[in-house]
Amino acid sequence: VLLPLVDPEHRQLLMSVDSDLRVHIFPDTEDANRLFYSNAHSIFFFIVNDTGITGYSVVVSSSTEGSGETRFEYKGVEAWSIVFAPNESLAALAPRTPETVKSAGRILGNRGVLYKYLNANF
């Protein structure tokens, strides 16, 4: 999962989850680790299978210190689940895409509107 977190070297963090629900971040640097640690309480993910959907929250499972560097280990903990009835199935799943809001004009300081198009009703 590509996270909305950017490290000091302007690299976006990537989170992966293994089969034991251990969470790994890339790049695996001290700065990225600190950034992920400070935002871990607000990071969630979900897993879809044949019987339903399970949502997980990220928690710090342990920390180690060595060579002046603190390393954290993260784990997914079940937060919610939806179980499908025997006759139900998931037809499609679409990712949420970041979309910018389009507007026909700009609000000016005097509360007027500067329209981007000639026709104000467009």
Side-chain angles (χ1 to χ4, degrees):
V1 177
L2 194 59
L3 298 172
L5 303 173
V6 180
D7 72 359
E9 294 181 23
H10 306 287
R11 295 177 297 196
Q12 197 162 6
L13 271 60
L14 180 71
M15 178 182 80
S16 69
V17 181
D18 64 17
S19 59
D20 295 328
L21 295 178
R22 288 189 308 247
V23 176
H24 307 277
I25 56 167
F26 302 98
D28 191 15
T29 62
E30 186 178 357
D31 289 334
N33 212 337
R34 259 189 269 122
L35 179 63
F36 189 83
Y37 176 78
S38 64
N39 290 283
H41 66 279
S42 63
I43 296 176
F44 302 89
F45 63 94
F46 63 91
I47 296 176
V48 180
N49 58 27
D50 295 339
T51 60
I53 305 171
T54 306
Y56 297 89
S57 61
V58 176
V59 296
V60 178
S61 62
S62 65
S63 63
T64 57
E65 292 187 33
S67 65
E69 196 174 298
T70 303
R71 308 299 279 172
F72 298 100
E73 292 184 14
Y74 308 97
K75 188 162 182 73
V77 176
E78 186 175 330
W80 56 267
S81 67
I82 299 173
V83 179
F84 299 143
N87 60 348
E88 291 181 329
S89 65
L90 187 63
L93 187 65
R96 182 178 172 177
T97 56
E99 237 178 76
T100 57
V101 176
K102 307 287 187 220
S103 62
R106 288 191 168 193
I107 307 298
L108 301 175
N110 63 359
R111 296 187 179 205
V113 178
L114 176 63
Y115 291 101
K116 295 181 182 178
Y117 307 99
L118 292 177
N119 184 353
N121 297 318
F122 183 48

